[in-house]
Each structure stands twice: as C-alpha cells, then as structure tokens.
Amino acid sequence: MSYKEDFEVGAALPLNSGGFGTDRFAFRAAIFLAAMVLCAIWVWPMQAAVFNQEGGLIETGSAVALLGSGLAAFYRYPGISRLYIGVVLLLLAERELEADIYAVDSVAYAVLSGLDDLLDMTIVRVVLAVVVLGGFVLHGVPSAWRALKARAPFLLVFFLAGMSAVVAQGLEEVSSAFGADMSDIMVTRLFVLEETLEMFFSIGILAAVLIGWPKTKAEEISNEQTARPDMR
C-alpha cells in the first residue's frame, strides 16, 4: 500500500474498537510463556548461560528474527516513506551479529566485516540518517498516532518489545556498575536475562511487522466472499 492508502486504512478503522487485542488467547499465551522463560532463567542462570554465549542460540535467534522482520518490512511496507522500517531492522540485525565470533577466513566473517566497513563510510551514514529520520517524521509519527487511536494490536506488541529492550539495557548498566560487588551467579543471571530480553525484543518486532494494520470491515467482507464463493 502507498502512504495515502495506509492513511485511508487507518482512518477507516473504528476508533477504540480493537482493545489492542489483549483479549486474544495467542497474546495471553505469549505473555505467559515469556514470563515462564524469565522465571526459569532466574532460577537456573548457569544452565541458561549455555545458550547465551556470544554467537550462541539466543543471539543467533535474535539476529534471525531481526533479519526476518527487516525483509518482511520491505515486502509488506513498500515506498520511500516507509523504507526506514526495513533499514532500521536490518541495521539492528547486523549489530546483533559480530564478525569477531567467526573464523577470519570464513564467509560469515567476510560478509559482516565488509558490512562494518561499509557502514563506517560517512556518505553511507548520511544516506541512512536521511532515510531513517525522514521516514520517522513523515510516516512513523503520524502512523503511530493513528495506530494509538485505533488501538491497533501491532502497536502494543511493538511497545512491549521496546520495553524488553529498555529493561535489557538497564540490566546491562546495572551489571556494569555493580558487577564487581556481585556474586558470579548474580552476574550470570543478569547477563542471561539481558540476552533473553533482547531476543524477546527481536521476536516482538517480527510479530509487530507481521501483524501490521488490522483489516477494515470492507477487507474482511471481501476475504469472506473469496473464501466462500457463491455456489448457486
């Protein structure tokens, strides 16, 4: 959809009709599962640390989720004004994967190292800054306001994902400031919680991109008619 179509879809949605989708079973199940995972990590941090090493399962999962969300954003939200969505997500995915964890002569190291060198170029940074800031002002802010008024479910998922990232950053700051006075178990506990919350952030962003704007009544009726053709 173009930006104009996106605006018309947002305007056509009934205000305060969705309740952000918190009454859906999938949403409640996801929150419950995430809480259980965090509780398990708090109780068994040393066992969970096996999956939270640099380049381990958790970090790789976070990068894959961000990469998938970036590619999905390019497909689902085309147009110059919305280009920033996919760009930001791909930049986050690149940041999550570090070249140093791979062998110097490996393909992964060469690709990631080349991306790092490319992103260090001033002209590339300027272009990315223009794309991201321009898209955020022209599309991001007004879209967020319309999503808030329509209580679009993807906005709540996006908010919860962002809060996971904020809490993860807070845990990192606490560990850096007071790590010397903490036991090894507590330091490990904070580390695995931080990495897991970052994975929740990545998965939440992917979910928000895939959920997108809720369908209008006209679209729902059209889909029902397509799914149930007239048999007369």
Side-chain angles (χ1 to χ4, degrees), residues 19-39:
F20 289 111
T22 56
D23 57 335
R24 298 181 181 180
F25 173 78
F27 176 83
R28 296 179 179 180
I31 295 297
F32 177 78
L33 179 60
M36 290 299 99
V37 170
L38 293 177
C39 289

Side-chain angles (χ1 to χ4, degrees), residues 203-219:
I203 296 175
I205 293 298
L206 175 60
V209 171
L210 295 179
I211 292 171
W213 281 94
K215 296 180 180 179
T216 63
K217 291 296 183 181
E219 289 174 326

Side-chain angles (χ1 to χ4, degrees), residues 97-170:
L97 289 175
E98 298 180 6
D100 295 339
I101 64 177
Y102 300 99
V104 177
D105 57 347
S106 65
V107 176
Y109 178 87
V111 171
L112 293 174
S113 180
L115 286 175
D116 288 337
D117 294 338
L118 180 65
L119 294 175
D120 284 338
M121 298 175 61
T122 302
I123 184 62
V124 174
R125 291 187 175 187
V126 171
V127 171
L128 292 177
V130 170
V131 170
V132 172
L133 293 178
F136 178 76
V137 173
L138 296 176
H139 177 267
V141 174
S143 293
W145 176 243
R146 288 185 286 109
L148 180 62
K149 291 192 297 181
R151 294 188 178 180
F154 83 87
L155 183 62
L156 178 59
V157 175
F158 178 81
F159 173 77
L160 292 176
M163 289 303 299
S164 296
V166 171
V167 175
Q169 184 62 38

Side-chain angles (χ1 to χ4, degrees), residues 42-108:
W42 182 267
V43 177
W44 298 290
M46 304 306 293
Q47 291 79 359
V50 176
F51 304 100
N52 285 269
Q53 303 302 320
E54 291 295 331
L57 179 63
I58 299 300
E59 188 175 78
T60 302
S62 298
V64 170
L66 288 171
L67 178 62
S69 61
L71 297 177
F74 283 132
Y75 176 77
R76 296 201 63 185
Y77 310 118
I80 298 298
S81 64
R82 297 188 288 186
L83 182 64
Y84 74 101
I85 303 174
V87 169
V88 170
L89 294 176
L90 290 184
L91 288 175
L92 290 175
E94 193 276 337
R95 175 182 174 274
E96 195 69 23
L97 289 175
E98 298 180 6
D100 295 339
I101 64 177
Y102 300 99
V104 177
D105 57 347
S106 65
V107 176

